[in-house]
Amino acid sequence: MDLSLDRPEGYLFVRRVAPHSVTVVDRELKTSFILSPERAIEDWPVSSAAHLDEGHVESVLELKPELVLLGTGTRQQFPSASFMAGFLRRGIGIEVMDNAAAARTYDLLASEGRRVVAAFILPAG
């Protein structure tokens, strides 16, 4: 049996998730960020799902998603209803999960050419 490495090309992908960082392609990010297949917005000023409100919606929408994945750290934590409603009112789906699940789901959808955006919350410090 021949094995070969299938390295995604043409889009940004998550290579590794750790408790305090996420590696996108070959770059380790240690602060919260937003990721689309074409672009990353680094240093997203969010340290907890509890601090998300409708004001944070616009920075995610900049990347024009059809679906948003919210990674909330090492465990799933739901943000405020106003944050979630900011997407749903615009007809954009949002799913909340831990960072590892968000990364796996993002990579799968991005590899299919979907307009997915993942927002990852990483703990400060």
Side-chain angles (χ1 to χ4, degrees), residues 92-107:
I92 297 170
I94 180 166
E95 296 291 333
V96 180
M97 53 195 76
D98 64 54
N99 282 348
R104 288 189 302 272
T105 305
Y106 167 85
D107 280 348

Side-chain angles (χ1 to χ4, degrees), residues 49-64:
H51 297 121
L52 289 169
D53 60 30
E54 194 167 354
H56 293 101
V57 172
E58 290 305 318
S59 56
V60 177
L61 292 178
E62 266 184 53
L63 298 175
K64 302 186 181 350

Side-chain angles (χ1 to χ4, degrees), residues 22-43:
V22 174
T23 303
V24 175
V25 185
D26 291 326
R27 182 177 165 100
E28 184 179 32
L29 301 172
K30 296 184 178 189
T31 59
S32 298
F33 66 98
I34 305 168
L35 180 65
S36 79
E38 299 84 26
R39 182 174 160 219
I41 299 174
E42 296 184 41
D43 299 319

Side-chain angles (χ1 to χ4, degrees), residues 62-109:
E62 266 184 53
L63 298 175
K64 302 186 181 350
E66 66 182 28
L67 173 65
V68 173
L69 306 172
L70 177 63
T72 58
T74 57
R75 61 187 185 90
Q76 181 184 42
Q77 299 175 330
F78 285 92
S80 70
S82 67
F83 177 77
M84 301 287 283
F87 296 100
L88 300 176
R89 275 196 302 274
R90 293 168 173 93
I92 297 170
I94 180 166
E95 296 291 333
V96 180
M97 53 195 76
D98 64 54
N99 282 348
R104 288 189 302 272
T105 305
Y106 167 85
D107 280 348
L108 175 67
L109 294 174

